[in-house]
Amino acid sequence: MIVSFNMMKNSYLVILFLFACSGLSAQSTWGQLSLIRFEMQEDPYGEMQYTPGKFSEMIQKLDGTEIELPGFIVPLEGKKKQKQLFFSLYPYANCFFCGNAGPETVIEVQMDADEYLEYTDQQISLSGIFKFIPGNIDSVMFKLEQAKLV
């Protein structure tokens, strides 16, 4: 049997689709959160600007559900115990704020009740209630509330 490039491409698309559709429960991944598209468009003055993101329905379905994410702490108040912080797919030096990563690779975290998270530069996993806030230009678009160290 001869396998053409289009057949291989279609097979990869099916595999990618199945991977993306699996796990809309508590075991979400950064891959699901990256299903966002930004486009460039010309403003009335002839300047190119990014349009607001176009979000996958999968991201919207995660809103209000419990998810678990592996990642790295981006401290807001130095390298000490914190109740509120940013959490990134990438290490601190490569995160959205410091490196070349996109806004879909960072989430704001509010720890549960009286829990505080000790800073580490090692990868950890957090679980909590996912909140999707696409229109707030003053903050990131993803939040994790009632978060706990896994």
Side-chain angles (χ1 to χ4, degrees), residues 15-30:
I15 292 168
L16 255 165
F17 177 76
L18 292 174
F19 172 76
C21 289
S22 66
L24 281 176
S25 65
Q27 294 300 318
S28 179
T29 66
W30 286 106

Side-chain angles (χ1 to χ4, degrees), residues 119-131:
Y119 177 81
T120 178
D121 59 359
Q122 301 299 309
Q123 185 179 42
I124 60 171
S125 288
L126 296 177
S127 68
I129 306 300
F130 176 76
K131 295 293 181 180

Side-chain angles (χ1 to χ4, degrees), residues 23 57 77 96 100:
E57 191 175 307
E77 299 178 15
F96 171 61
N100 294 320

Side-chain angles (χ1 to χ4, degrees), residues 49-60:
Q49 294 183 342
Y50 280 107
T51 61
K54 295 186 180 183
F55 304 96
S56 162
E57 191 175 307
M58 274 206 256
I59 296 173
Q60 297 170 24

Side-chain angles (χ1 to χ4, degrees), residues 69-89:
L69 292 171
F72 299 86
I73 297 172
V74 178
L76 292 176
E77 299 178 15
K79 297 179 179 181
K80 59 182 181 177
K81 287 184 181 181
Q82 298 189 31
K83 188 162 188 62
Q84 186 172 359
L85 56 123
F86 284 106
F87 196 62
S88 173
L89 169 62

Side-chain angles (χ1 to χ4, degrees), residues 1 24 42 95 138 145:
M1 177 178 171
L24 281 176
E42 193 173 319
C95 77
D138 295 327
E145 298 178 345

